[in-house]
C-alpha cells in the first residue's frame, strides 16, 4: 500500500478562520485548492467536450458511480482503462459513491443540497403511502433502476468495488443521505449506519487496492452526515477520524454531505472541520452558488462539486457578475453585447446575448453548449479568484466586492 500521507499540503490560511489554500496531489496531477469540480455525471459534462472542460480551467471532473454502474457498466469503464481514459480526460477524477442517487430515488431530493425546511415539499418526506424506488436497511440499499425498473442492491462493499473499477483518483465512502425533515430519531440511526458503512468501506477499499495493484492508488474520503444537528455532525466527524482499515489506514480525506439549511451552511461546515484533521482535504458535496462558496471556503472546505452551473445553463439561466439572468427573455433579442464583457470564456469571446437568445428560442442544442461553457467558467474562475485572494490576503475584500455586486447588496 503506497504512502499517501503527503498527498495534501496546506499553503496559506485565512487569518482567524479555517479556510486555506492547498495542493491536493493525485496520480493524474495536482489540484490547487480551493477548487470547483464540474460534474460529469455519466462521464461527460453535459453538452460540452472534455477538451472544452479543460480549456475553461477545470482542474478535475466528478462522475457518478450509480449512473455509470447502470450504464454502460463499471466493467466497461474498467476495461477501457478507467474513467479518465474512457472519457478522454487526462486530469484528476472523482466519483461519488452512488449513495445520493440511490437514496434520492425514494425521497425526491433536489440535486443541490443547500435548502430550507420551510420550502420542503411532501415528496421530500419519507412516507409509507408513497412508492419508493429505494429501501434502506443496515446492510445496504435495495433500489430499482430508473432506466428499466430492474432491481439492484448497493452495499458499502459493492460501492467500493464499482468505484475501484471506475478508477477515479478520489472516491467516496457509501453513506446514507437523509432529508432535513427526517426525524431526529431517524437522523441518529442514520449517523450510526453511515459510521458502520464507513468502516466496511475502509476494509473493502484495502482489499480492492491490494487486488488491483496494477492500477494507481485511489484516495478514499469518508462522508460526514448529521443534518442540521451540531452534536450529530461533530459525532459523525470524530467517528470517521477514529476509523482505520484492517491494515491500519485512515481515510485520505473527508466529504461533507447531506441536506442542510442554506443559512446554516457555514456553521455546519465549521462544526465539521473543527473535528476533522487540518492536514486532510475536505470536499463539499453539492454547492456552487457564489455566497455558498465564500461561506464554505471560509470555514475550511477545499473542493466542491455541483450540477447546477450546467443544469441551469440548459434551461436558459446565465451567471453574470450582477446575478443570474434568463437569456431567453425578450429584452435580449436585440442585445448584441457579449454575454459577459468581464468573462474570458470562449462563449463570451465569440457570441452575443442576442445569438444565445435566438438559440434558446429555437431550441438549438448549441445554446446549451455555449451557456454551459460560460457558467462552468464563471464558477471555476470565481473559485480561482477566491484562492488567489487567500494567498494575497484580501479574501474579505473580494467577498464584499463579489457578493455585493452579485446580490445587489
Amino acid at each position: 500500500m503506497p504512502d499517501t500521507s503527503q498527498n495534501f499540503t496546506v499553503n496559506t490560511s485565512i487569518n482567524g478562520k479555517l479556510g486555506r489554500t492547498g495542493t491536493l496531489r493525485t496520480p493524474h496531477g495536482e489540484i490547487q485548492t480551493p477548487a470547483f469540480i464540474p460534474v460529469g455525471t455519466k462521464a461527460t459534462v453535459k453538452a460540452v467536450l472534455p477538451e472544452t472542460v479543460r480549456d475553461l480551467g477545470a482542474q478535475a471532473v466528478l462522475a457518478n458511480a450509480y449512473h455509470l454502474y447502470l450504464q454502460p457498466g463499471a466493467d466497461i469503464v474498467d476495461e477501457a482503462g478507467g474513467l479518465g481514459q474512457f472519457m478522454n480526460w487526462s486530469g484528476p477524477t472523482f466519483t461519488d459513491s452512488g449513495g445520493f442517487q440511490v437514496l434520492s430515488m425514494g425521497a425526491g431530493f433536489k440535486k443541490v443540497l443547500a435548502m430550507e425546511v420551510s420550502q420542503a415539499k411532501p415528496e421530500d418526506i419519507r412516507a409509507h403511502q408513497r412508492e419508493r424506488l429505494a429501501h434502506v436497511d443496515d446492510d445496504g440499499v435495495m433500489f430499482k433502476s430508473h432506466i428499466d425498473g430492474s432491481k439492484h442492491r448497493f452495499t458499502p462493499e459493492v460501492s467500493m468495488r464499482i468505484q475501484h473499477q471506475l478508477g477515479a483518483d478520489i472516491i467516496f465512502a457509501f453513506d446514507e443521505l437523509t432529508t432535513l425533515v427526517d426525524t431526529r430519531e431517524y437522523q441518529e440511526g442514520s449517523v450510526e449506519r453511515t459510521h458502520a458503512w464507513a468502516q466496511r468501506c475502509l476494509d473493502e477499499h484495502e482489499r480492492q487496492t491490494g487486488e488491483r495493484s496494477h492500477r494507481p492508488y485511489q484516495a478514499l474520503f469518508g462522508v460526514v452526515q448529521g443534518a442540521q444537528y451540531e452534536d450529530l455532525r461533530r459525532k459523525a466527524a470524530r467517528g470517521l477520524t477514529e476509523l482505520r482499515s484492517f491494515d491500519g489506514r485512515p481515510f485520505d480525506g473527508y466529504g461533507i454531505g447531506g441536506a442542510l439549511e442554506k443559512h446554516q451552511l457555514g456553521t455546519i461546515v465549521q462544526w465539521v472541520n473543527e473535528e476533522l484533521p487540518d492536514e486532510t482535504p475536505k470536499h463539499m458535496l453539492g454547492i456552487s452558488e457564489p455566497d455558498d462558496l465564500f461561506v464554505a471556503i471560509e470555514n475550511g472546505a477545499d473542493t466542491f462539486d455541483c450540477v447546477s452551473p450546467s443544469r441551469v445553463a440548459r434551461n436558459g439561466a446565465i451567471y453574470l457578475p450582477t446575478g443570474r439572468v434568463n437569456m431567453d427573455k425578450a429584452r435580449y433579442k436585440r442585445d448584441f453585447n457579449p454575454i459577459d464583457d468581464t468573462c474570458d470564456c470562449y462563449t463570451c469571446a465569440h457570441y452575443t446575448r442576442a445569438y444565445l437568445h435566438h438559440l434558446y428560442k429555437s431550441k438549438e442544442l448549441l445554446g446549451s453548449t455555449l451557456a454551459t461553457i460560460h457558467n462552468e467558467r464563471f464558477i471555476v474562475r470565481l473559485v480561482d479568484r477566491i484562492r488567489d485572494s487567500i494567498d494575497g490576503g484580501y479574501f474579505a475584500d473580494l467577498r464584499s466586492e463579489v457578493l455585493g455586486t452579485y446580490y445587489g447588496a
Side-chain angles (χ1 to χ4, degrees), residues 173-189:
F174 191 62
D175 60 308
E176 182 185 7
L177 173 66
T178 60
T179 73
L180 294 176
V181 290
D182 283 318
T183 65
R184 164 76 191 211
E185 181 181 10
Y186 192 92
Q187 301 285 8
E188 291 173 352

Side-chain angles (χ1 to χ4, degrees), residues 39 41 44-47 111 307-318 328 360 364-365 367-369 371-372 375-376:
V39 175
T41 301
T44 171
V45 178
K46 283 183 171 57
K111 292 180 182 293
V307 298
S308 188
S310 59
R311 189 182 74 231
V312 301
R314 297 191 300 277
N315 293 305
I318 299 294
D328 58 356
Y360 280 128
E364 288 288 345
L365 297 179
S368 294
T369 298
T372 299
N375 279 1
E376 293 286 0

Side-chain angles (χ1 to χ4, degrees), residues 301-361:
D302 300 303
T303 53
F304 318 84
D305 74 87
C306 192
V307 298
S308 188
S310 59
R311 189 182 74 231
V312 301
R314 297 191 300 277
N315 293 305
I318 299 294
Y319 293 120
L320 297 177
T322 52
R324 204 168 85 181
V325 300
N326 290 322
M327 202 60 67
D328 58 356
K329 299 299 184 185
R331 67 178 176 270
Y332 297 111
K333 187 173 184 177
R334 288 181 169 85
D335 188 340
F336 300 107
N337 292 299
I339 313 301
D340 173 7
D341 58 13
T342 70
C343 180
D344 59 1
C345 79
Y346 175 85
T347 300
C348 292
H350 295 90
Y351 299 96
T352 66
R353 295 178 176 187
Y355 183 63
L356 195 56
H357 170 84
H358 157 68
L359 294 175
Y360 280 128
K361 300 306 285 187

Side-chain angles (χ1 to χ4, degrees), residues 1-2 164 204-214 217 246:
M1 181 75 72
H164 271 265
E204 185 62 26
H205 175 58
E206 193 86 44
R207 283 189 286 269
Q208 290 294 320
T209 300
E211 293 174 5
R212 296 173 56 84
S213 58
H214 60 293
Y217 179 74
F246 61 77

Side-chain angles (χ1 to χ4, degrees), residues 13-329:
S13 297
I14 301 174
N15 188 34
K17 302 292 184 180
L18 295 170
R20 70 274 182 92
T21 65
T23 303
L24 177 57
R25 300 172 187 84
T26 80
H28 292 92
E30 295 183 346
I31 302 171
Q32 301 303 319
T33 67
F36 179 71
I37 314 300
V39 175
T41 301
K42 301 177 183 179
T44 171
V45 178
K46 283 183 171 57
V48 295
L49 293 168
E51 293 87 345
T52 304
V53 177
R54 179 199 63 214
D55 291 344
L56 61 81
Q59 300 182 67
V61 295
L62 180 144
N64 179 258
Y66 163 84
H67 287 286
L68 293 178
Y69 159 76
L70 291 176
Q71 192 176 62
D75 59 321
I76 301 295
V77 178
D78 189 20
E79 190 174 337
L83 176 62
Q85 190 78 10
F86 186 55
M87 65 180 290
N88 192 33
W89 174 263
S90 60
T93 52
F94 294 58
T95 50
D96 62 15
S97 69
F100 175 89
Q101 283 72 22
V102 166
L103 292 162
S104 68
M105 294 296 106
F109 299 123
K110 299 176 179 65
K111 292 180 182 293
V112 179
L113 296 187
M115 58 183 290
E116 297 292 344
V117 172
S118 62
Q119 298 172 1
K121 298 176 182 178
E123 62 264 27
D124 294 322
I125 303 172
R126 295 172 194 273
H128 294 296
Q129 68 268 25
R130 181 167 171 265
E131 182 184 4
R132 298 176 58 203
L133 297 182
H135 297 271
V136 182
D137 57 51
D138 286 341
D139 181 61
V141 183
M142 182 70 72
F143 66 96
K144 291 182 180 179
S145 165
H146 71 285
I147 297 173
D148 61 9
S150 58
K151 291 185 178 181
H152 303 265
R153 184 166 182 80
F154 265 30
T155 66
E157 292 78 13
V158 169
S159 177
M160 287 296 94
R161 289 195 288 271
I162 290 169
Q163 290 189 81
H164 271 265
Q165 286 183 303
L166 296 176
D169 297 304
I170 295 171
I171 64 178
F172 289 87
F174 191 62
D175 60 308
E176 182 185 7
L177 173 66
T178 60
T179 73
L180 294 176
V181 290
D182 283 318
T183 65
R184 164 76 191 211
E185 181 181 10
Y186 192 92
Q187 301 285 8
E188 291 173 352
S190 178
V191 166
E192 295 295 335
R193 186 177 296 115
T194 292
H195 181 84
W197 288 359
Q199 180 64 66
R200 291 165 58 187
C201 285
L202 275 170
D203 289 338
E204 185 62 26
H205 175 58
E206 193 86 44
R207 283 189 286 269
Q208 290 294 320
T209 300
E211 293 174 5
R212 296 173 56 84
S213 58
H214 60 293
R215 297 292 196 195
Y217 179 74
Q218 297 169 264
L220 175 61
F221 284 27
V223 179
V224 180
Q225 294 287 352
Q228 67 269 45
Y229 300 104
E230 179 176 5
D231 61 327
L232 294 185
R233 285 284 182 178
R234 290 186 181 275
K235 176 183 178 181
R238 286 194 301 268
L240 290 177
T241 67
E242 295 167 358
L243 292 180
R244 298 292 184 273
S245 71
F246 61 77
D247 205 30
R249 177 173 291 276
F251 284 110
D252 299 295
Y254 300 90
I256 304 170
L260 46 85
E261 290 184 285
K262 183 180 177 73
H263 72 271
Q264 274 197 291
L265 173 65
T267 302
I268 291 172
V269 176
Q270 180 181 342
W271 292 339
V272 169
N273 284 333
E274 286 176 346
E275 303 294 339
L276 297 174
D278 290 339
E279 66 275 10
T280 56
K282 322 299 193 312
H283 181 85
M284 188 82 206
L285 294 136
I287 68 165
S288 66
E289 289 302 305
D291 55 344
D292 294 338
L293 292 169
F294 275 99
V295 166
I297 289 169
E298 182 179 28
N299 288 285
D302 300 303
T303 53
F304 318 84
D305 74 87
C306 192
V307 298
S308 188
S310 59
R311 189 182 74 231
V312 301
R314 297 191 300 277
N315 293 305
I318 299 294
Y319 293 120
L320 297 177
T322 52
R324 204 168 85 181
V325 300
N326 290 322
M327 202 60 67
D328 58 356
K329 299 299 184 185

